[in-house]
Amino acid sequence: MKKLHFNRLGVKLSLAFLGVAVVAVALVAYLMNTFTSQQFLSYLGHSQAMQQMMGAGGMMGGSMGDMLAPFGRAEQDFLEAINRSLWLAGLIAGAAAILIGVIITRQIVAPLQRLTRAAQQIATGDLSQRVPVESRDETGELAASFNTMTEALAKNEELRRHMVADIAHELRTPLTVLQGNLEAMRDGVIKPTSQQLDSLHHEAQSLSRLVDDLGTLSLAEAGQLKLHLQAVDVSGIIRRVATGMENQAQQGRVSLEVSLPDSLPLATADADRVAQVLLNLLNNALRHTPAGGSIRISAQPSPQSGKYLLVSVADTGQGIPAQDLPYIFERFYRVDRSRARSTGGAGIGLTIVKQLVEAHGGRVWVESETGKGSKFYFTLPRYYTARRL
């Protein structure tokens, strides 16, 4: 026999309904019994007085008084019938209240029990659990919120698995090259020429950049990235980064243009992180812009809000398909995975751009069309000097 647990919500609600029904029935029956008896006695007294007033000189006084004495047998039977009817009606009403209470209790407890079972399954690692949303009340809202939470957990878990696999892939390639060449040099198969050493140095640099990028991304996503905010000249940063990228652009036969107004307001930002954002955007543009194409960097006060500066990096490259645009800033996401290693991209450059810009209080987005190039935008808060009173 199943043991009754009084700390269960269903038991508590059922007992509460039962207690309310019993108290209500007893109270109504008692009040009705008292009120009916009093009113009936008052009616008999009034009737007797009227009969005595209508009698002639008291001829019938004695016999009428005996006949109309309060609470005779007939009157007593009448009151008992009324009381029985009241108790019967009360019991029926109480039973109906208990039945309704049980139904309501099941409607409240059953969804909670399903949520509990689903939560227990999720705790074991089964993120496919969902609960039906059967109402629009608070219980239904709780079920909908639970489903939203599990979907987010499932997506994050999938991203985590992909991230681990992608990190392993990105680390494996340069490590394999380094290990293979070093073993060949140690065994005397190949000689440590300057070209071989340059190749190993390049792979070591790739590893170092990947580790640095992962560290930056981890700090930014955890909200622990320290920014040295100050008044910075965004125009100067753009010119400095563009100058540093000119050689790489010339090697790819891509023209690099800078378009800046005569006077651009200062921004409140970390100069090194802004330069990192621009470098990542320019590297991404150079990887996807063919020979003969162009890249244009521009900046201006934001037309939408005077509190921000708007910086853009536009290229005439291959563009981004519409189905890929929502995911372009996700970790290790590449539009063309077959070109990942040949172009040297690890797939986290744009993710770092997004995290760094948002850490400054700005936002980043992209406009693109396949075959017509891409244009990346990001905003930075303007610098305002404190007013003196």
Side-chain angles (χ1 to χ4, degrees), residues 8 19 34-35 99 128 135 141 259 270 304 313 316 379 381:
R8 304 291 293 181
T34 302
F35 177 79
L99 178 61
S128 64
S135 63
E141 292 176 358
S259 176
D270 185 322
Q304 286 77 26
V313 177
T316 58
T379 60

mmCIF file of all heavy atoms in Angstrom, residues 8 19 34-35 99 128 135 141 259 270 304 313 316 379 381:
data_model
loop_
_atom_site.group_PDB
_atom_site.id
_atom_site.type_symbol
_atom_site.label_atom_id
_atom_site.label_comp_id
_atom_site.label_asym_id
_atom_site.label_seq_id
_atom_site.Cartn_x
_atom_site.Cartn_y
_atom_site.Cartn_z
ATOM 1 N N ARG A 8 3.602 16.333 0.743
ATOM 2 C CA ARG A 8 3.384 16.459 -0.693
ATOM 3 C C ARG A 8 2.362 17.549 -0.963
ATOM 4 O O ARG A 8 1.390 17.725 -0.210
ATOM 5 C CB ARG A 8 2.893 15.133 -1.291
ATOM 6 C CG ARG A 8 3.801 13.950 -1.024
ATOM 7 C CD ARG A 8 5.093 14.045 -1.762
ATOM 8 N NE ARG A 8 4.887 13.921 -3.203
ATOM 9 C CZ ARG A 8 5.863 13.942 -4.097
ATOM 10 N NH1 ARG A 8 7.112 14.109 -3.697
ATOM 11 N NH2 ARG A 8 5.607 13.831 -5.372
ATOM 12 N N GLY A 19 -10.765 20.349 4.708
ATOM 13 C CA GLY A 19 -10.963 21.141 5.922
ATOM 14 C C GLY A 19 -11.890 22.313 5.701
ATOM 15 O O GLY A 19 -12.795 22.572 6.522
ATOM 16 N N THR A 34 -29.930 27.385 14.142
ATOM 17 C CA THR A 34 -30.239 28.386 15.170
ATOM 18 C C THR A 34 -31.213 29.431 14.644
ATOM 19 O O THR A 34 -32.216 29.777 15.301
ATOM 20 C CB THR A 34 -28.945 29.069 15.642
ATOM 21 O OG1 THR A 34 -28.048 28.061 16.145
ATOM 22 C CG2 THR A 34 -29.232 30.068 16.753
ATOM 23 N N PHE A 35 -30.949 29.917 13.456
ATOM 24 C CA PHE A 35 -31.791 30.967 12.878
ATOM 25 C C PHE A 35 -33.206 30.432 12.623
ATOM 26 O O PHE A 35 -34.205 31.098 12.925
ATOM 27 C CB PHE A 35 -31.167 31.461 11.577
ATOM 28 C CG PHE A 35 -31.996 32.484 10.861
ATOM 29 C CD1 PHE A 35 -32.008 33.814 11.278
ATOM 30 C CD2 PHE A 35 -32.782 32.121 9.771
ATOM 31 C CE1 PHE A 35 -32.793 34.755 10.615
ATOM 32 C CE2 PHE A 35 -33.563 33.048 9.124
ATOM 33 C CZ PHE A 35 -33.561 34.373 9.531
ATOM 34 N N LEU A 99 -14.688 16.996 -4.378
ATOM 35 C CA LEU A 99 -14.450 16.477 -5.723
ATOM 36 C C LEU A 99 -13.804 17.536 -6.612
ATOM 37 O O LEU A 99 -12.825 17.267 -7.331
ATOM 38 C CB LEU A 99 -15.774 16.005 -6.334
ATOM 39 C CG LEU A 99 -15.693 15.468 -7.767
ATOM 40 C CD1 LEU A 99 -14.775 14.248 -7.829
ATOM 41 C CD2 LEU A 99 -17.083 15.128 -8.288
ATOM 42 N N SER A 128 17.154 16.357 -24.014
ATOM 43 C CA SER A 128 16.055 16.311 -24.979
ATOM 44 C C SER A 128 14.694 16.422 -24.308
ATOM 45 O O SER A 128 13.659 16.398 -24.981
ATOM 46 C CB SER A 128 16.110 15.010 -25.781
ATOM 47 O OG SER A 128 15.918 13.885 -24.913
ATOM 48 N N SER A 135 -1.711 24.961 -20.520
ATOM 49 C CA SER A 135 -2.531 26.069 -20.032
ATOM 50 C C SER A 135 -1.768 27.371 -20.240
ATOM 51 O O SER A 135 -0.579 27.372 -20.592
ATOM 52 C CB SER A 135 -2.874 25.891 -18.552
ATOM 53 O OG SER A 135 -1.696 25.905 -17.764
ATOM 54 N N GLU A 141 3.139 28.988 -17.978
ATOM 55 C CA GLU A 141 4.302 29.853 -18.179
ATOM 56 C C GLU A 141 5.570 29.190 -17.649
ATOM 57 O O GLU A 141 6.646 29.292 -18.256
ATOM 58 C CB GLU A 141 4.081 31.193 -17.485
ATOM 59 C CG GLU A 141 2.986 32.042 -18.132
ATOM 60 C CD GLU A 141 2.732 33.319 -17.359
ATOM 61 O OE1 GLU A 141 3.379 33.515 -16.304
ATOM 62 O OE2 GLU A 141 1.897 34.133 -17.803
ATOM 63 N N SER A 259 38.848 56.162 -45.545
ATOM 64 C CA SER A 259 37.994 57.339 -45.755
ATOM 65 C C SER A 259 37.573 57.880 -44.390
ATOM 66 O O SER A 259 36.772 57.252 -43.682
ATOM 67 C CB SER A 259 36.759 56.959 -46.581
ATOM 68 O OG SER A 259 35.885 58.062 -46.715
ATOM 69 N N ASP A 270 39.506 51.386 -25.306
ATOM 70 C CA ASP A 270 40.847 50.841 -25.109
ATOM 71 C C ASP A 270 41.505 50.805 -26.485
ATOM 72 O O ASP A 270 41.085 50.051 -27.370
ATOM 73 C CB ASP A 270 40.754 49.440 -24.500
ATOM 74 C CG ASP A 270 42.108 48.852 -24.160
ATOM 75 O OD1 ASP A 270 43.065 49.067 -24.924
ATOM 76 O OD2 ASP A 270 42.211 48.168 -23.130
ATOM 77 N N GLN A 304 22.485 57.291 -36.234
ATOM 78 C CA GLN A 304 21.360 56.910 -35.384
ATOM 79 C C GLN A 304 21.455 57.525 -33.985
ATOM 80 O O GLN A 304 20.447 57.815 -33.365
ATOM 81 C CB GLN A 304 21.284 55.375 -35.248
ATOM 82 C CG GLN A 304 20.772 54.665 -36.483
ATOM 83 C CD GLN A 304 21.811 54.564 -37.578
ATOM 84 O OE1 GLN A 304 23.008 54.580 -37.302
ATOM 85 N NE2 GLN A 304 21.364 54.475 -38.822
ATOM 86 N N VAL A 313 34.101 48.450 -42.177
ATOM 87 C CA VAL A 313 35.115 47.825 -43.018
ATOM 88 C C VAL A 313 34.368 47.102 -44.135
ATOM 89 O O VAL A 313 33.683 46.103 -43.888
ATOM 90 C CB VAL A 313 35.995 46.841 -42.218
ATOM 91 C CG1 VAL A 313 36.995 46.159 -43.146
ATOM 92 C CG2 VAL A 313 36.715 47.559 -41.088
ATOM 93 N N THR A 316 35.018 43.981 -51.351
ATOM 94 C CA THR A 316 34.342 43.568 -52.588
ATOM 95 C C THR A 316 34.563 42.075 -52.821
ATOM 96 O O THR A 316 34.737 41.639 -53.959
ATOM 97 C CB THR A 316 34.877 44.370 -53.785
ATOM 98 O OG1 THR A 316 36.306 44.171 -53.893
ATOM 99 C CG2 THR A 316 34.608 45.858 -53.611
ATOM 100 N N THR A 379 30.202 50.063 -33.453
ATOM 101 C CA THR A 379 30.088 51.377 -32.829
ATOM 102 C C THR A 379 30.928 51.429 -31.559
ATOM 103 O O THR A 379 31.154 50.414 -30.892
ATOM 104 C CB THR A 379 28.623 51.706 -32.478
ATOM 105 O OG1 THR A 379 28.119 50.710 -31.570
ATOM 106 C CG2 THR A 379 27.763 51.737 -33.731
ATOM 107 N N PRO A 381 31.440 54.189 -28.028
ATOM 108 C CA PRO A 381 30.885 55.377 -27.362
ATOM 109 C C PRO A 381 31.814 56.581 -27.515
ATOM 110 O O PRO A 381 33.041 56.455 -27.422
ATOM 111 C CB PRO A 381 30.775 54.936 -25.891
ATOM 112 C CG PRO A 381 31.735 53.813 -25.746
ATOM 113 C CD PRO A 381 31.792 53.118 -27.072
#
